[in-house]
Amino acid sequence: MTSIPTFNDETWLRLVRYAAEAFNELTLSRGFQYFKQQRVTSLNTVQDHTMQATVTGDETYTVRVNVARPAASSCTCPVAVPCKHMAAVMMELGERMGYPVSQLVNARTYLKQLTPAIPPDQLPGQLRGKDVFGWHEFMDALVAGVKPAYNQNQYIEELRRHLQPLNSASIPFSAIEWKYFELHQELFIVRKIRKLSEKSEYRYYTSFVLPRLYTETMNLLRQKSTTLNFSIAEERLKQTLRYMQRQMAEETGNRCMEYGLYMTMWELWVAGRPDADLWAAQQLAELEKLETPAVSAAAAQVFLYLRLSQYEEARAVVESSDMINNVSTDMLLTFLNYIASAKNWELLTDWLAKTAPAFYERRVQELATYIRLWNEAVPHVPGAERQMWSILEQALPDSMWIIEDLLYEQHRWKLWLELQIQQEHGPLHHKVGVLQPIEKEAPELLLPYYHQAIHRCVSLKTRHDYKQAVKLLKRLEKVYKKMKMQGRWEQFLIGFAERHSRLRALQEEMKKGKLLP
């Protein structure tokens, strides 16, 4: 095996902490069985900090363990969470490097024994000179003995109780650093719950709490941005952004909540800086180095490329990560809105066309926002309107109401009325004011709409529908008068009354409406 110069006591402890956090006891037990059965073979260094091994069983799988960032480890087996193969490789690695495998197998118990309560007066010495990653490692040690619980609120309270001594200690931080430290305690809680959500037995219980935690943390970011200039402590800001990058890279699934935190911080604390473009370039360089860029991290790359007007690079990331099918439409809308704000209409049209499938069968509000962007681009790009209508047709029936609104806004009355007839709507389906512009501009188009609706009401042969027919007849009379075709109206009414003379209830309603003597 190729040697690992960075593997030391700190590295081993990092693996043990990851085992305590990411694996349940059953998985560790099964991993230990694989380790004892010597199923781990060909353990070698493939990259700096990364070990690769083969694990045999019913199938053969390849495992990669990143000793610097264990959460970036992976296995080719179909299990979506840290698995027994990964646990077995970590145990094999530990034994070869001279560390007790039992510490991994009983990770939580070992850490609880390892980290006795630290008196508050000793905390300053423990935290002095640490970067934000050191803060998180220290907090991991403080809560190592806290056992996850199905009651997430109880678990969070227990985590906070173990962190409470940090806030009463005389740590030599500046005012800005204290604010950063407070923020990272919240980010720490978010990370612990997110990691717990990756375990199948806790996923249901965290699904309700995790979105709330992210929302509360984003609100905290906004709140702090109004009271303090966090860009003063540039190094802490860079470290915090780097920490968030790692969390994005480790986030599973396509909810991209870590991306939401990252972009909130970026917009509040970086975007307004005069050297923001330089920061964007630096952030991109760091994101590109991530070994396992998840969808959340890819989304951050897209946003930063757009900010730097590197549109081709942004589109390449979207396509390579299959982002259109893997992220929420809310995220796609943030990209589209950014392009619209730059008034790059041709690019916006191109992106709108490519992202169209993501908006089919989506919530009404999302589809409406998407079409609003098309409306902004249409006046500036030849052929864009034709593309927009084609997409609306493909989105039917969800886009029906949008098509109606657009036709109405554009005073395309004939098409609008044909759509109403197709849906078996009638004039009484709308408020009176809806038809008034048509009566003013093109009253002749309303004639078939009224006549068809009257015929439908009469054919139903109920007293209620006869009353509806009379209402429609009286409105139709006004349309004929508007067109100065009173004679034609009278001729129609006489014929109508004769044709339905046997419908006594209808005749009665027409008399009540003073349409017949």
Side-chain angles (χ1 to χ4, degrees):
M1 180 188 71
T2 307
S3 62
I4 311 174
T6 55
F7 203 101
N8 50 32
D9 289 350
E10 183 180 350
T11 307
W12 174 245
L13 187 57
R14 190 181 299 123
L15 289 177
V16 174
R17 285 173 179 160
Y18 177 68
E21 184 178 82
F23 294 86
N24 58 41
E25 292 180 3
L26 180 60
T27 302
L28 287 173
S29 176
R30 288 174 174 171
F32 181 67
Q33 292 300 318
Y34 268 44
F35 161 73
K36 292 294 288 182
Q37 293 167 7
Q38 298 183 343
R39 294 176 182 247
V40 180
T41 60
S42 64
L43 181 62
N44 291 288
T45 303
V46 292
Q47 292 178 349
D48 189 25
H49 306 306
T50 302
M51 307 298 299
Q52 180 170 299
T54 300
V55 182
T56 59
D58 295 335
E59 302 285 344
T60 299
Y61 299 109
T62 300
V63 175
R64 285 194 170 201
V65 173
N66 187 316
V67 297
R69 291 195 300 115
S73 303
S74 63
C75 178
T76 58
C77 78
V79 179
V81 293
C83 60
K84 59 187 177 183
H85 311 104
M86 198 182 300
V89 172
M90 290 168 59
M91 292 171 192
E92 179 70 22
L93 175 61
E95 183 178 69
R96 294 193 187 188
M97 300 306 296
Y99 291 91
V101 172
S102 60
Q103 293 176 1
L104 269 177
V105 179
N106 305 293
R108 291 198 187 102
T109 302
Y110 171 69
L111 288 174
K112 190 172 183 179
Q113 296 169 349
L114 187 67
T115 55
I118 303 173
D121 59 348
Q122 294 182 18
L123 288 173
Q126 298 278 344
L127 286 166
R128 186 178 291 111
K130 290 184 181 292
D131 60 11
V132 300
F133 299 98
W135 292 350
H136 281 265
E137 287 184 1
F138 186 77
M139 288 187 281
D140 275 322
L142 279 182
V143 304
V146 180
K147 186 177 181 180
Y150 292 117
N151 185 330
Q152 294 297 286
N153 290 324
Q154 178 181 328
Y155 179 51
I156 291 171
E157 286 304 312
E158 188 66 14
L159 291 174
R160 294 190 190 282
R161 188 178 69 80
H162 278 68
L163 296 178
Q164 184 57 40
L166 297 174
N167 298 314
S168 57
S170 301
I171 304 171
F173 287 155
S174 65
I176 294 292
E177 285 186 307
W178 262 112
K179 294 301 179 183
Y180 269 111
F181 191 57
E182 291 170 358
L183 168 64
H184 276 275
Q185 290 182 53
E186 297 305 315
L187 294 176
F188 174 79
I189 299 292
V190 169
R191 175 168 63 84
K192 298 296 283 188
I193 302 301
R194 195 196 80 228
K195 288 294 185 183
L196 203 60
S197 73
E198 295 170 3
K199 300 180 180 180
S200 57
E201 67 265 39
Y202 292 104
R203 191 168 297 136
Y204 172 80
Y205 302 95
T206 59
S207 62
F208 303 101
V209 175
L210 197 56
R212 172 175 60 83
L213 276 179
Y214 277 101
T215 300
E216 290 175 352
T217 307
M218 281 192 278
N219 289 337
L220 179 66
L221 287 170
R222 294 187 183 99
Q223 177 188 345
K224 288 182 178 297
S225 70
T226 62
T227 57
L228 288 169
N229 181 4
F230 281 83
S231 63
I232 294 174
E234 282 197 0
E235 189 55 37
R236 291 299 187 193
L237 178 56
K238 289 178 180 177
Q239 292 171 9
T240 301
L241 289 170
R242 200 172 300 124
Y243 169 83
M244 289 181 166
Q245 287 176 7
R246 289 191 184 179
Q247 301 314 303
M248 287 192 294
E250 295 170 6
E251 185 177 14
T252 58
N254 58 6
R255 299 182 71 177
C256 299
M257 289 185 283
E258 290 291 342
Y259 165 82
L261 282 180
Y262 177 82
M263 294 317 302
T264 299
M265 188 166 190
W266 175 270
E267 290 290 357
L268 292 174
W269 298 354
V270 183
R273 296 171 59 99
D275 58 348
D277 284 352
L278 178 60
W279 277 66
Q282 292 171 345
Q283 289 290 295
L284 273 170
E286 293 182 7
L287 284 166
E288 289 167 356
K289 293 177 184 177
L290 295 175
E291 295 178 19
T292 54
V295 177
S296 198
Q301 285 181 288
V302 173
F303 183 88
L304 294 171
Y305 276 130
L306 289 175
R307 178 181 177 84
L308 294 172
S309 302
Q310 297 179 16
Y311 302 119
E312 289 303 317
E313 290 83 350
R315 181 162 60 181
V317 174
V318 169
E319 293 174 352
S320 65
S321 60
D322 195 21
M323 200 171 290
I324 293 174
N325 297 316
N326 284 332
V327 301
S328 68
T329 49
D330 285 338
M331 179 178 294
L332 293 176
L333 286 171
T334 64
F335 302 151
L336 296 171
N337 277 312
Y338 194 87
I339 298 172
S341 67
K343 301 188 184 304
N344 192 328
W345 304 118
E346 291 189 2
L347 181 71
L348 177 61
T349 302
D350 181 49
W351 278 56
L352 285 168
K354 281 183 168 51
T355 57
F359 291 90
Y360 297 157
E361 300 181 3
R362 292 294 181 174
R363 295 196 306 259
V364 168
Q365 189 58 46
E366 294 171 344
L367 186 58
T369 304
Y370 170 77
I371 295 301
R372 175 185 60 77
L373 291 168
W374 267 111
N375 276 326
E376 290 184 33
V378 161
H380 306 281
V381 181
E385 186 171 13
R386 184 175 66 254
Q387 284 182 284
M388 179 186 73
W389 283 106
S390 175
I391 287 168
L392 282 169
E393 289 176 11
Q394 294 176 60
L396 286 168
D398 301 288
S399 61
M400 180 65 77
W401 70 276
I402 295 177
I403 293 174
E404 288 185 57
D405 286 352
L406 285 174
L407 291 173
Y408 190 88
E409 290 171 8
Q410 296 173 8
H411 289 205
R412 298 169 70 174
W413 306 128
K414 187 174 185 298
L415 289 174
W416 186 82
L417 286 167
E418 288 176 356
L419 196 59
Q420 304 310 307
I421 292 172
Q422 182 183 4
Q423 298 177 87
E424 297 187 351
H425 292 166
L428 298 179
H429 175 77
H430 318 285
K431 294 181 180 179
V432 177
V434 170
L435 299 180
Q436 286 179 347
I438 308 177
E439 289 180 11
K440 182 178 180 181
E441 295 179 20
E444 69 280 0
L445 296 178
L446 287 171
L447 295 180
Y449 194 35
Y450 274 102
H451 280 289
Q452 182 166 317
I454 292 167
H455 174 75
R456 189 184 307 118
C457 287
V458 173
S459 67
L460 295 173
K461 296 184 178 181
T462 69
R463 176 72 70 168
H464 170 75
D465 290 299
Y466 290 154
K467 290 180 179 180
Q468 297 293 91
V470 170
K471 286 183 181 180
L472 289 168
L473 284 166
K474 296 179 77 170
R475 290 192 188 181
L476 179 59
E477 180 182 11
K478 292 180 181 179
V479 175
Y480 274 112
K481 286 181 178 179
K482 182 79 173 179
M483 298 170 62
K484 297 181 180 179
M485 298 175 64
Q486 186 67 22
R488 184 175 169 184
W489 157 251
E490 291 174 356
Q491 184 181 359
F492 162 75
L493 185 62
I494 291 170
F496 179 84
E498 289 178 354
R499 191 162 56 252
H500 301 295
S501 59
R502 294 185 179 182
L503 300 177
R504 188 173 300 174
L506 175 61
Q507 297 287 320
E508 290 174 1
E509 293 301 326
M510 290 178 69
K511 289 177 182 178
K512 288 180 184 178
K514 299 181 180 179
L515 291 174
L516 291 178

